[in-house]
Amino acid sequence: MGKCDGRCTLLVICSLQLVAALQRQVFDFLGYQWAPILANFLHIMAVILGMFGTVQFRFRYLIFYAVWLVLWVGWNSFVICFYLEVGNLSQDRDFLMTFNTSLHRSWWMEHGPGCLVTPVLDSRMAPDDHHVITVSGCLLDYQYIEVLSSAIQVLLALFGFVYACYVSKVFQDDEDSFDFIGGFDSYGYQPPQKSSHLQLQPLYTAG
């Protein structure tokens, strides 16, 4: 019963991770955030692999999923530090989320709750194929929306890591107990082979 509860909980966590990652992927595509798009894609593949390992009792898949979650926590921690401009990180100078290929920012910068976007006409600050805007009236700045999104990912990853380790340990214990009791190959058991032909023996009777 405990194993079933652990598997079901892990599947629920993976489902929440998948929904959160797909939602985040959509908004990163809209904002041309290429680095998060790549990271989200890898995360979606790892979560699907973790779900498959949970359903099919695959120990190695769960280990891979747990290792990936450690890297995922590290990535989202970096994203939080980037948007909060911790240390020498600067959104105005470092365009890491777009691999320094464009000046695009988060989609939430112009489409946040309550945000009013006003284009600045005839601005000399705008590079070619870009325009300058002013954003005001936002109920929540885009930096904090991105930080909140990453914090949710970290929280789900921590729960997923704990349950992945627990379920994989249960799977490993079940395999060990099966081998101890006697699996199909434990003692090299071979079924009796049928004779390919029938030998006739003479029958002697007392006269």
Side-chain angles (χ1 to χ4, degrees):
M1 186 66 180
K3 179 180 69 174
C4 180
D5 292 341
R7 289 177 62 211
C8 294
T9 304
L10 183 56
L11 286 175
V12 171
I13 294 174
C14 289
S15 299
L16 293 176
Q17 285 182 312
L18 197 58
V19 172
L22 290 173
Q23 171 266 334
R24 191 179 190 183
Q25 186 77 314
V26 170
F27 293 117
D28 286 337
F29 263 114
L30 293 175
Y32 303 98
Q33 304 295 291
W34 304 118
I37 287 172
L38 177 60
N40 292 334
F41 175 78
L42 295 177
H43 181 60
I44 291 171
M45 294 297 102
V47 171
I48 293 176
L49 196 63
M51 297 178 72
F52 179 79
T54 303
V55 174
Q56 297 294 326
F57 298 90
R58 300 297 180 88
F59 169 76
R60 291 181 179 85
Y61 290 174
L62 287 179
I63 294 300
F64 174 82
Y65 167 71
V67 172
W68 167 256
L69 289 182
V70 175
L71 300 177
W72 185 242
V73 169
W75 164 253
N76 282 278
S77 299
F78 167 76
V79 172
I80 292 174
C81 293
F82 176 78
Y83 281 106
L84 294 181
E85 297 187 341
V86 176
N88 293 325
L89 294 174
S90 174
Q91 299 180 56
D92 297 328
R93 184 183 69 251
D94 303 323
F95 296 94
L96 303 177
M97 298 302 168
T98 60
F99 292 130
N100 290 323
T101 59
S102 69
L103 300 178
H104 288 95
R105 300 291 184 89
S106 171
W107 182 83
W108 294 105
M109 181 178 182
E110 301 179 28
H111 303 87
C115 290
L116 178 61
V117 178
T118 304
V120 178
L121 303 177
D122 299 332
S123 176
R124 298 180 180 179
M125 298 175 57
D128 296 337
D129 300 329
H130 287 76
H131 60 279
V132 176
I133 60 174
T134 59
V135 182
S136 60
C138 295
L139 300 178
L140 187 63
D141 291 338
Y142 75 96
Q143 298 97 324
Y144 301 112
I145 296 177
E146 294 288 355
V147 167
L148 181 61
S149 176
S150 295
I152 293 174
Q153 295 289 342
V154 170
L155 184 63
L156 291 174
L158 292 177
F159 280 108
F161 178 81
V162 172
Y163 274 93
C165 294
Y166 168 71
V167 174
S168 61
K169 181 65 167 56
V170 172
F171 287 173
Q172 189 177 25
D173 291 342
D174 288 347
E175 291 180 359
D176 294 340
S177 62
F178 178 76
D179 292 337
F180 177 77
I181 294 173
F184 293 114
D185 300 327
S186 296
Y187 300 100
Y189 172 74
Q190 297 293 333
Q193 298 180 355
K194 294 182 179 180
S195 177
S196 61
H197 63 277
L198 180 64
Q199 296 181 355
L200 300 177
Q201 298 293 336
L203 178 64
Y204 298 95
T205 60

